[in-house]
């Protein structure tokens, strides 16, 4: 999970790219980068850290130009090298830069082919650099001194033929324009919009619609699966479906947790989808636990609030803010390393004991992944005096690894993998555990757009839409990306990197 943005404007874009990244900061806290183009000269600043820490006034003054792309990076394998920060750049042909959100499932094959067949060198372990070089090579194959929109679309078509997995990308071709494209399954989100100015029309491409809202752009729509959107340097917009058999399989976890609630993804309001998740969860409680003794509903801030409010309302049970969040601690889910995740939970949340003392409390979270946070929070509720602690998840049990850009690489690290419902209740320490049903989750999202026939639900059911993920691939993924593998490398004094780096 990363955040991408690109702008073609009639005014300098450095400040707007910066502002867009701050709005997309929830999609990545590990590194940030901006590259701009001014009359064929490219200017780059990227480094590890939050957006506010990476860019100083001096950096911003050097990022000149009316076209640019930017990226916030999500931590995956604990690699602290700023070389992994994006955007990436190659100087041939023309000068091409790219920012990417997703994960290529055939990265190893592509890396080998790029070296043997295309004579291209890959300098990092990032699959985003691989995607950039595939795209750059296919642009070169057009063998044109002056590229047209059709040439760019033809290169994207070849990218779709070669690359597998999830990728939402924005690329900048110096002196030519900017292109945004999305994999044929549309797994990771990307939208585009426009803004009318006295000088002409400005365009933006971004991971989520909130970036457009914050900058005053009008949402045109989502880039469809397999579609590409090209904006020339003189402000002409063209679109083309570059993968003829493309169909939606949007990552449903975007609606559960990843996206901001004020975003719209594939014509579905994330906020409304989460309200519906709370409603279906309440219906399940009424159906299976009609004589419940819940005294109060307490959300685990922040993502679960929307679902928890609707659940409490439907059950006619008081809703209370029982935990106060420290705003200066990052999202626990994306903390690299299990020890750091444990430590950060109690630093991040503090209970208000009067909301727990002597009460039967239903805690509501968006999902349960590794279980570390859930276990700690349940114990915190007991320590605060709760008589009973029930726990509800707005998502089904996460039982399978994610291979499309979310850091859930090892099945053995997922608390629900291979365990029964009763075993999970005991392990988490809850008096009762309630999970959302997968069919209800799908319907909660699909109700916002009935044209969405399929979703990437692989973390819940092990069904991978790209159909190229087998047991051998998952075993290799666990071998290189599990916390145990990372800890082993750290103890040996080796750098912690990935073979399949999740953008």
């Amino acid at each position: 999970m990363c955040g991408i943005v690109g702008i073609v404007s009639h005014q300098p874009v450095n400040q707007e790219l910066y502002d867009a990244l701050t709005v997309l900061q929830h999609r990545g806290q590990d590194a940030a980068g901006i590259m701009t183009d001014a009359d064929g000269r490219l200017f780059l600043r990227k480094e590890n850290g939050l957006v506010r820490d990476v860019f100083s006034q001096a950096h911003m003054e050097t990022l000149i130009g009316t076209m640019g792309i930017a990226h916030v990076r999500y931590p995956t394998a604990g690699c602290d090298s700023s070389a992994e920060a994006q955007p990436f750049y190659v100087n041939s042909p023309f000068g091409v830069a790219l920012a990417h959100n997703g994960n290529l499932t055939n990265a190893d094959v592509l890396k080998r082919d790029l070296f043997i067949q295309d004579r291209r060198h890959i300098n990092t372990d990032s699959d985003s650099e691989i995607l950039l070089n595939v795209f750059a090579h296919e642009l070169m194959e057009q063998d044109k001194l002056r590229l047209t929109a059709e040439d760019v679309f033809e290169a994207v078509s070849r990218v779709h033929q070669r690359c597998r997995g999830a990728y939402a990308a924005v690329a900048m071709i110096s002196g030519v324009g900017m292109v945004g494209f999305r994999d044929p399954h549309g797994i990771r989100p990307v939208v585009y919009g426009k803004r009318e100015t006295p000088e002409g029309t400005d365009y933006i491409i971004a991971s989520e619609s909130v970036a457009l809202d914050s900058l005053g752009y009008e949402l045109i729509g989502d880039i469809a699966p397999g579609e590409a959107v090209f904006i020339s340097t003189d402000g002409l917009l063209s679109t083309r479906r570059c993968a003829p058999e493309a169909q939606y399989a949007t990552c449903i976890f975007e609606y559960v947790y990843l996206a901001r609630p004020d975003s719209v993804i594939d014509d579905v309001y994330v906020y409304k989808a989460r309200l519906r998740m709370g409603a279906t969860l309440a219906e399940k409680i009424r159906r299976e636990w009609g004589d419940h003794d819940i005294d109060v509903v307490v959300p685990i801030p922040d993502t679960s609030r929307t679902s928890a409010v609707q659940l409490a309302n439907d059950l006619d049970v008081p809703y209370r803010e029982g935990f106060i969040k420290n705003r200066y601690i990052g999202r626990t889910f994306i903390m690299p390393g299990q020890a750091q995740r444990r430590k950060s939970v109690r630093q991040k949340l503090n209970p208000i004991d009067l909301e727990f003392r002597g009460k039967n409390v239903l805690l509501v979270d968006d999902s349960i992944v590794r279980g570390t946070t859930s276990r700690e929070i349940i114990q915190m509720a007991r320590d605060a005096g709760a008589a009973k602690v029930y726990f509800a998840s707005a998502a089904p049990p996460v039982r399978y690894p994610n291979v499309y850009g979310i850091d859930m690489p090892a099945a053995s690290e997922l608390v629900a993998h291979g365990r029964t419902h009763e075993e999970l209740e005991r392990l988490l320490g809850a008096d009762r555990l309630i999970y959302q049903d997968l069919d209800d989750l799908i319907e909660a999202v699909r109700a916002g757009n009935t044209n969405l026939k399929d979703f990437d639900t692989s973390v819940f059911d092990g069904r991978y839409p790209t159909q190229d993920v087998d047991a051998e691939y998952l075993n290799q993924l666990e071998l290189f990306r599990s916390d145990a593998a990372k800890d082993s490398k750290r103890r040996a004094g080796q750098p912690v990197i990935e073979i399949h780096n999740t953008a």
Side-chain angles (χ1 to χ4, degrees):
M1 181 182 75
C2 294
I4 62 172
V5 60
I7 297 175
V8 178
S9 177
H10 292 81
Q11 301 294 329
V13 295
N14 52 357
Q15 185 63 53
E16 288 200 334
L17 288 170
Y18 177 94
D19 293 342
L21 288 187
T22 61
V23 174
L24 297 173
Q25 185 78 84
H26 63 285
R27 299 192 67 87
Q29 302 171 3
D30 189 47
I34 294 175
M35 177 175 274
T36 58
D37 180 293
D39 299 322
R41 290 284 303 276
L42 297 174
F43 302 88
L44 172 66
R45 166 63 181 172
K46 61 178 182 176
E47 187 55 81
N48 289 347
L50 299 174
V51 174
R52 65 174 184 240
D53 299 322
V54 169
F55 303 101
S56 68
Q57 182 70 30
H59 297 132
M60 295 297 291
E61 289 173 354
T62 65
L63 294 169
I64 61 175
T66 58
M67 179 171 69
I69 63 175
H71 185 268
V72 283
R73 182 178 184 268
Y74 170 80
T76 51
C79 177
D80 61 0
S81 171
S82 60
E84 303 288 327
Q86 297 183 41
F88 284 109
Y89 164 77
V90 291
N91 65 4
S92 178
F94 305 104
V96 184
L98 178 141
H100 162 225
N101 175 31
N103 186 60
L104 300 181
T105 52
N106 65 335
D108 288 345
V109 173
L110 288 170
K111 186 174 183 179
R112 181 194 63 205
D113 291 347
L114 282 167
F115 180 76
I116 295 174
Q117 299 175 13
D118 303 340
R119 300 296 190 265
R120 285 183 171 267
H121 173 69
I122 303 300
N123 197 51
T124 70
D125 291 280
S126 171
D127 61 343
S128 302
E129 188 187 11
I130 292 171
L131 180 63
L132 166 62
N133 275 271
V134 171
F135 177 60
H137 175 78
E138 297 306 332
L139 281 177
M140 183 174 286
E141 289 293 288
Q142 301 306 306
D143 198 23
K144 298 281 186 69
L145 182 59
R146 295 184 181 277
L147 290 175
T148 66
E150 288 304 311
D151 296 327
V152 175
F153 292 147
E154 187 58 35
V156 173
S157 296
R158 289 286 300 142
V159 168
H160 291 327
Q161 293 172 33
R162 296 181 65 177
C163 296
R164 299 288 178 268
Y167 48 93
V170 59
M172 182 171 62
I173 309 165
S174 182
V176 178
M178 179 179 300
V179 60
F181 56 93
R182 193 177 184 189
D183 71 77
H185 297 278
I187 295 172
R188 300 262 73 86
V190 60
V191 300
Y192 67 110
K194 65 180 181 178
R195 181 180 60 195
E196 301 298 338
T197 72
E199 294 81 13
T201 306
D202 298 340
Y203 291 98
I204 185 172
I205 298 169
S207 291
E208 294 185 33
S209 61
V210 289
L212 282 63
D213 299 338
S214 68
L215 298 177
Y217 283 81
E218 173 192 348
L219 176 66
I220 297 175
D222 299 86
I223 297 179
E227 186 181 29
V229 172
F230 176 73
I231 304 126
S232 65
T233 52
D234 54 2
L236 297 178
L237 182 142
S238 307
T239 66
R240 185 174 126 184
R241 185 67 66 91
C242 299
E245 297 182 1
Q247 57 185 359
Y248 274 106
T250 306
C251 174
I252 207 164
F253 213 74
E254 290 280 353
Y255 301 95
V256 171
Y257 172 79
L258 301 180
R260 274 182 41 157
D262 45 346
S263 283
V264 182
I265 298 176
D266 293 323
D267 291 330
V268 177
Y269 286 85
V270 175
Y271 176 77
K272 290 185 177 180
R274 290 177 183 169
L275 286 176
R276 291 189 289 267
M277 291 175 205
T280 55
L281 203 53
E283 176 58 32
K284 181 174 183 178
I285 291 173
R286 286 196 300 266
R287 184 174 65 248
E288 298 183 359
W289 188 18
D291 59 344
H292 72 80
D293 57 352
I294 302 167
D295 295 320
V296 63
V297 172
V298 174
I300 311 302
D302 287 313
T303 322
S304 65
R305 281 195 174 106
T306 309
S307 296
V309 166
Q310 188 64 48
L311 184 150
N313 183 68
D314 286 10
L315 291 181
D316 196 23
V317 172
Y319 169 92
R320 294 290 184 269
E321 292 285 346
F323 291 101
I324 300 302
K325 183 176 181 179
N326 182 346
R327 302 290 175 185
Y328 303 98
I329 299 292
R331 295 178 99 173
T332 308
F333 172 76
I334 60 177
M335 290 286 184
Q338 195 77 346
Q340 190 175 351
R341 291 186 199 103
R342 281 196 206 97
K343 180 181 178 182
S344 69
V345 175
R346 288 183 180 264
Q347 291 176 335
K348 185 168 96 168
L349 297 176
N350 191 51
I352 302 173
D353 58 1
L354 65 87
E355 295 294 357
F356 293 92
R357 198 178 303 127
K359 299 178 182 178
N360 298 334
V361 180
L362 175 63
L363 303 178
V364 180
D365 209 348
D366 50 76
S367 59
I368 305 171
V369 182
R370 290 173 172 89
T372 309
T373 301
S374 304
R375 240 184 343 259
E376 288 281 338
I377 290 173
I378 289 169
Q379 187 57 51
M380 287 167 65
R382 294 197 187 282
D383 293 344
K388 292 182 180 179
V389 181
Y390 309 124
F391 203 95
S393 167
V398 176
R399 299 187 184 277
Y400 301 93
N402 182 277
V403 302
Y404 299 128
I406 309 174
D407 191 23
M408 303 178 193
S412 62
E413 293 170 1
L414 304 174
V415 68
H417 181 75
R419 290 190 173 97
T420 66
H421 189 87
E422 292 73 21
E423 288 171 334
L424 286 170
E425 273 184 343
R426 290 195 297 271
L427 184 61
L428 296 176
D431 292 294
R432 186 163 187 147
L433 179 63
I434 305 105
Y435 275 109
Q436 184 87 261
D437 292 334
L438 181 55
D439 288 344
D440 287 342
L441 174 61
I442 291 172
E443 194 51 43
V445 178
R446 183 184 285 147
N449 181 1
T450 56
N451 293 321
L452 298 178
K453 303 301 182 185
D454 197 12
F455 294 91
D456 168 30
T457 56
S458 55
V459 297
F460 306 122
D461 58 12
R463 185 174 61 90
Y464 296 94
T466 55
Q467 299 182 350
D468 62 341
V469 177
D470 55 18
E472 181 181 356
Y473 180 89
L474 294 176
N475 288 338
Q476 288 294 311
L477 202 66
E478 180 154 358
L479 180 64
F480 287 103
R481 283 177 51 190
S482 69
D483 281 343
K486 298 168 198 173
D487 290 342
S488 177
K489 285 190 174 184
R490 289 189 185 98
R491 287 194 297 271
Q494 300 174 6
V496 178
I497 58 176
E498 292 191 38
I499 300 300
H500 297 282
N501 179 56
T502 306

